[in-house]
């Protein structure tokens, strides 16, 4: 068990799978965390194909009572977590007028995107601090350009990501003296299951110049940023916010 261990949430598919595979190729063993009903086969097969060990932890991120058992199972299977990648998240339950936002839908997205992520991170970091470090340790959280750019038709999603961003800043300050790096990645328009339903709309808007780079982002773009931050090359940049958006977040005239 000489390889470092990365826990990637939402890793059964999409961006999470791309992150998990890139980290496996970079020397990590991978704990693939996702909902219990998710199918992790493709992710685990890809991880093992590059010579890394993979383990599936199936649990509901919103269920705080499930966190302890899941993390214990990961430790037993792979060893202590050196890198936490908070990637799991959900989009707005219903897109529409913010004046019609339902409390239950608001609560659901907060439970996953903010509350579940915050308290899972709390447990993982506590475990990191409780034992000497054998490898470089870091927490990388994937938020969204929606942390800073408003979309009134999905206000609940934007709020969840803005709040998560503030959590990352506070965590970075708390952990700076410990040497545990804390980073935020803000993707822009990334091709994924979450954006599939609005792909035609964004195809048009990208063609019209919405994204300066002129293309969709891919899961590999986010994965490359995660690998770079986890490497230790940005150790003195703890708290940094990295835009992976093709220039979408830049102010323009």
């Amino acid at each position: 068990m000489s390889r470092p261990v990365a826990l990637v949430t939402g890793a059964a598919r999409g961006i999470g799978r791309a992150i998990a595979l890139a980290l496996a190729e970079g020397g990590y063993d991978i704990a693939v965390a996702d909902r219990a009903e998710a199918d992790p086969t493709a992710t685990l097969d890809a991880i093992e194909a590059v010579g890394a060990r993979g383990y599936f932890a199936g649990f509901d991120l919103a269920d705080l009572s499930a966190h302890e058992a899941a993390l214990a199972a990961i430790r037993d299977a792979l060893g202590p977590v050196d890198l936490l990648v908070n990637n799991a998240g959900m989009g707005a339950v219903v897109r529409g007028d913010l004046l019609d936002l339902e409390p239950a839908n608001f609560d659901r997205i907060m439970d996953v995107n903010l509350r579940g992520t915050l308290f899972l991170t709390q447990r993982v970091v506590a475990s990191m601090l409780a034992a000497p470090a054998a490898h470089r340790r870091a927490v990388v959280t994937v938020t969204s350009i929606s942390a800073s750019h408003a979309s009134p038709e999905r206000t609940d999603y934007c709020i969840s990501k803005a709040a998560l961003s503030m959590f990352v800043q506070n965590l970075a300050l708390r952990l700076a003296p410990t040497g545990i790096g804390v980073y935020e990645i803000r993707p822009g328009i990334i091709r994924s299951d979450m954006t599939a339903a609005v792909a035609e709309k964004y195809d048009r808007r990208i063609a019209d110049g919405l994204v300066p780079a002129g293309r969709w982002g891919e899961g590999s773009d986010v994965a490359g940023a995660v690998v770079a931050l986890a490497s230790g090359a940005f150790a003195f940049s703890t708290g940094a916010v990295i835009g992976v958006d093709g220039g979408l977040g830049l102010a323009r005239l």
Side-chain angles (χ1 to χ4, degrees):
M1 294 188 181
S2 60
R3 293 164 61 100
V5 173
L7 165 56
V8 184
T9 65
R13 61 181 186 171
I15 295 171
R17 180 183 295 167
I19 293 170
L21 179 56
L23 288 169
E25 291 172 338
Y28 283 84
D29 290 331
I30 310 295
V32 174
D34 217 306
R35 296 170 300 169
E37 63 270 24
D39 182 1
T41 305
T43 303
L44 292 174
D45 286 349
I47 289 167
E48 292 166 5
V50 298
R53 294 182 302 154
Y55 173 79
F56 177 58
F59 66 100
D60 182 355
L61 184 60
D63 181 5
L64 304 192
S65 67
H67 292 185
E68 183 174 359
L71 293 174
I74 290 167
R75 285 194 299 271
D76 290 345
L78 299 177
V81 173
D82 302 290
L83 170 64
L84 171 62
V85 182
N86 289 315
N87 165 75
M90 61 177 291
V93 179
V94 177
R95 287 179 177 237
D97 190 339
L98 69 89
L99 300 181
D100 295 325
L101 177 61
E102 294 286 342
N105 291 342
F106 180 87
D107 291 345
R108 174 60 180 156
I109 200 167
M110 291 298 164
D111 282 348
V112 174
N113 291 4
L114 178 61
R115 188 169 181 267
T117 299
L118 188 159
F119 286 105
L120 180 71
T121 302
Q122 186 185 70
R123 284 189 176 274
V124 173
V125 168
S127 296
M128 288 179 176
L129 294 175
H135 303 282
R136 160 77 177 162
R137 299 182 298 185
V139 178
V140 180
T141 299
V142 179
T143 62
S144 168
I145 195 170
S146 295
S148 58
H149 288 55
S151 298
E153 74 280 4
R154 52 194 184 114
T155 298
D156 46 356
Y157 178 79
C158 295
I159 292 172
S160 73
K161 293 299 185 177
L164 189 59
S165 177
M166 180 52 67
F167 167 63
V168 173
Q169 292 178 48
N170 280 273
L171 185 67
L173 287 172
R174 171 62 179 84
L175 295 183
T178 72
I180 298 174
V182 178
Y183 308 99
E184 175 185 351
I185 292 178
R186 285 188 188 172
I189 301 171
I190 307 296
R191 200 183 308 275
S192 69
D193 295 330
M194 188 180 294
T195 55
V198 290
E200 186 176 341
K201 166 189 169 182
Y202 281 122
D203 281 340
R204 291 195 303 269
R205 297 197 66 189
I206 291 170
D208 290 339
L210 176 65
V211 179
R215 67 170 177 88
W216 281 80
E218 304 292 343
S220 58
D221 293 312
V222 180
V226 172
V227 171
L229 293 172
S231 71
F234 296 88
F236 203 57
S237 300
T238 192
V241 179
I242 308 299
V244 182
D245 60 11
L248 177 60
L250 296 173
R252 289 181 285 179
L253 288 174

